[in-house]
Amino acid sequence: MTVQQQARLTLAAIAREAGVSAPTVSKVINGRHDVSVETRAKVLAVLARTGYKSPLQQRRTLADKPAVEVAVDSLDSAYNIAVLNGVMECAVESDIEVLLNLTGIQGASPVNPEQRAQRIVDEGRCGMIVVTSAFGDAPLDAFHRRGIPVVVIDPLNPPSEEVVSIGSTDWAGGKDATTHLLGLGHRRIAYLGGPDNVECNQARLHGYLAALRSHGVSVEDNYIISGPFQTDHGARGLDALLQLDPPPTAIFAGNDTVALGVLAEARRRNIRIPEDLSVVGFDGTSKAEESVPSLTSVAQPLQEIGRAALRTVLRQLRGEVPDSRRVELATHLVVRESTAAPR
Amino acid sequence: MTVQQQARLTLAAIAREAGVSAPTVSKVINGRHDVSVETRAKVLAVLARTGYKSPLQQRRTLADKPAVEVAVDSLDSAYNIAVLNGVMECAVESDIEVLLNLTGIQGASPVNPEQRAQRIVDEGRCGMIVVTSAFGDAPLDAFHRRGIPVVVIDPLNPPSEEVVSIGSTDWAGGKDATTHLLGLGHRRIAYLGGPDNVECNQARLHGYLAALRSHGVSVEDNYIISGPFQTDHGARGLDALLQLDPPPTAIFAGNDTVALGVLAEARRRNIRIPEDLSVVGFDGTSKAEESVPSLTSVAQPLQEIGRAALRTVLRQLRGEVPDSRRVELATHLVVRESTAAPR
DNA sequence: CTGAAAGCGCTTACAG
DNA sequence: CTGAAAGCGCTTACAG
């Protein structure tokens, strides 16, 4: 007895199943008018039930993995790389293609968001992950209107209602970092933060303030310095803080990049870390691990954030409504060499 | 006289044009093996000239920007990131989409190269850049047979004749690094290299040997150690070299990663760099610049290599025959803190 | 390795 | 409206 091979689902098979001829099925599929209402209904029912796909469609679904676009401003950032890695991991598991869009490249034609969104629809892409602030609210709206899921990771500004954003527990992380320093015995702790108007920075600052207050440590206004999330800002910030009387014995930096700027400047000045000064960073990028001395840092689960972003896009595609417009994953403090008790 | 309607571009038309049968054209398009090299070339030429598209492709290209796939084994590599950056820059200028394929991800389904190549054709993608050794020769051949331009960057093994590869002047770079150390007065110089069988490593080693010979310095066999391009290998290599009598006063490492392993191990042993030991790396990644002490390294123009890779793909698409199957861009030595005269 | 012939799946033209 | 027949474009199986 021959094992009946699973017959391929052809138009002819549909015709047989529906009790009509192949040409009739063809007409239904192609939206022709010369088919009676009853016949059409019968055929459509069989098509739906069997999930028939034309050869073209068959090849397409074999060939056309769904694709998601990831917009990142630059690859010169351990933060971005870690997030991208997480997205890629999830993409591999879910069999999704990833299109990389480097928004920060010099000479990149200014993105017309309407066109871009339209193109993404036309090409059958299924979503967009933004790991940068390069897209403001208006562009994101262009996607939203077309029903393309968009997830923003750690947006610099609070995104519009429509967009799902993923980030970390910045407030708790700021509190943890500061509590760690307080626990070591520090009382003169500076916050060398990021840009004033950036959400995550504000949350970290307020976590810092909360920790100080709950330990009854008074907050010195001139111990709080804001600026760009850049190495230079760390170096200049250390310079400014050292001029104070008394100077801080510990610095909580708004992110690892700033903290590494502090370490570099301290080295130039022969300030020993952690003996003379404790430093804590934020992000927990690979740079924190690799620096000398290695950097105590509030680690964000960056890889997991990337994975969660793609998972959220896929969930939205399935029509699920996200529980929340904002997801925050837990940070955790990683203590390394750059912090110790004050002398 | 009837105006001859512009005949639709069918496979049969291509066959007529190329002077072969339709089945033969079909075979070429589908990457079958049973076509002679000459016939394949003839057909591919006609396909390229006429811009034939399969029915599937005809549907697709309406909305699609051309897209290139970039295969990288991992993002945890400053080398890969720099190359990817270069590719992205060129992609932005040329208005090309980039699909990122992380070949090294755990659980990635083992790539079936035939399927993958077919998919790329079906989706109207225009080429492939491989920044990793994840694809051996056989897979690359699957692309070649379909006339998809493939460019391999710094292949671990010499790629087949058909594939264009881009790399650096590894031999000259190895010679430069060694000459630099010789110029500082070192005579006991070790080569702590990469895997024996890897082309670029062999070239660097031979550049090292050439420099030593031309300075009349005899080569000590036990000063030459090979191993993986990893930090650990640098640490273990330093350990082994220090047991020698006499130990080297300088180490030329096969790449920056290995060199950083040497620096880390030296730090653990309180060996001062460069006072007690000079170290030179290879690649000139950002890690070389950021390490403490900063690392003298033979810089590859990684960004430019990435750009050149995409430019080469685009040129092949235009039907231009590359001048050479192998392009080497010039390295240059960047002297930093990790090298000095021996004591 | 090549291509005539057969085949596949869908579509079109048209007789009923 | 319907479907037998012819046709289209591509692919497969196989003889040479």
Side-chain angles (χ1 to χ4, degrees), chain B residues 21 24 27 36 39:
Chain B
S21 71
T24 300
K27 287 174 197 171
S36 72
T39 307

Side-chain angles (χ1 to χ4, degrees), chain A residues 5-11 13-14 16 52-55 58:
Chain A
Q5 206 197 338
Q6 167 85 26
R8 228 184 109 234
L9 199 56
T10 66
L11 183 141
I14 300 296
R16 221 175 304 122
Y52 171 80
K53 292 204 193 305
S54 75
Q58 286 180 37

Side-chain angles (χ1 to χ4, degrees), chain B residues 89 116 130 137 167 170 210 218-219 246 284-285 340:
Chain B
E89 281 185 10
R116 179 149 209 103
V130 181
D137 262 15
D170 291 298
S218 66
V219 176
T285 53

Side-chain angles (χ1 to χ4, degrees), chain B residues 141-206:
Chain B
D141 183 56
F143 290 85
H144 183 250
R145 265 186 280 112
R146 290 172 173 80
I148 305 171
V150 174
V151 173
V152 182
I153 291 173
D154 218 4
L156 296 193
N157 312 302
S160 70
E161 294 290 304
E162 326 294 2
V163 170
V164 176
S165 75
I166 299 189
S168 303
T169 54
D170 291 298
W171 185 85
K175 196 167 173 232
D176 287 350
T178 312
T179 303
H180 166 63
L181 292 168
L182 288 163
L184 288 170
H186 291 275
R187 288 302 173 267
R188 303 205 307 273
I189 303 172
Y191 180 63
L192 186 46
D196 274 329
N197 55 339
V198 166
E199 283 252 302
C200 68
N201 180 62
Q202 291 169 0
R204 290 168 200 177
L205 169 60
H206 282 88

Side-chain angles (χ1 to χ4, degrees), chain B residues 80-298:
Chain B
N80 290 350
I81 297 291
V83 170
L84 182 55
N85 231 321
V87 173
M88 293 304 298
E89 281 185 10
C90 186
V92 164
E93 287 162 20
S94 315
D95 212 33
I96 301 280
E97 299 274 8
V98 172
L99 279 128
L100 186 58
N101 178 10
L102 268 195
T103 52
I105 280 184
Q106 288 253 337
S109 51
V111 185
N112 174 332
E114 291 294 336
Q115 274 180 15
R116 179 149 209 103
Q118 191 57 54
R119 200 166 57 70
I120 287 190
V121 175
D122 289 346
E123 296 184 18
R125 284 183 204 157
C126 63
M128 172 111 176
I129 295 172
V130 181
V131 199
T132 165
S133 60
F135 293 86
D137 262 15
L140 294 181
D141 183 56
F143 290 85
H144 183 250
R145 265 186 280 112
R146 290 172 173 80
I148 305 171
V150 174
V151 173
V152 182
I153 291 173
D154 218 4
L156 296 193
N157 312 302
S160 70
E161 294 290 304
E162 326 294 2
V163 170
V164 176
S165 75
I166 299 189
S168 303
T169 54
D170 291 298
W171 185 85
K175 196 167 173 232
D176 287 350
T178 312
T179 303
H180 166 63
L181 292 168
L182 288 163
L184 288 170
H186 291 275
R187 288 302 173 267
R188 303 205 307 273
I189 303 172
Y191 180 63
L192 186 46
D196 274 329
N197 55 339
V198 166
E199 283 252 302
C200 68
N201 180 62
Q202 291 169 0
R204 290 168 200 177
L205 169 60
H206 282 88
Y208 156 87
L209 294 174
L212 290 184
R213 289 217 186 87
S214 76
H215 278 69
V217 175
S218 66
V219 176
E220 306 291 334
D221 275 359
N222 51 12
Y223 275 12
I224 298 175
I225 301 182
S226 57
F229 276 137
Q230 285 164 16
T231 320
D232 279 0
H233 171 52
R236 272 182 277 106
L238 175 58
D239 182 61
L241 289 170
L242 290 178
Q243 320 235 343
L244 298 179
D245 185 23
T249 61
I251 296 177
F252 170 33
N255 77 354
D256 286 350
T257 309
V258 173
L260 292 176
V262 172
L263 293 193
E265 182 63 19
R267 200 179 310 125
R268 280 190 285 272
R269 292 166 176 260
N270 285 317
I271 296 171
R272 289 169 306 161
I273 310 274
E275 293 83 351
D276 303 330
L277 181 72
S278 284
V279 179
V280 181
F282 205 109
D283 283 353
T285 53
S286 55
K287 305 240 177 216
E289 203 175 334
E290 293 162 4
S291 82
V292 180
S294 60
L295 181 68
T296 296
S297 181
V298 179

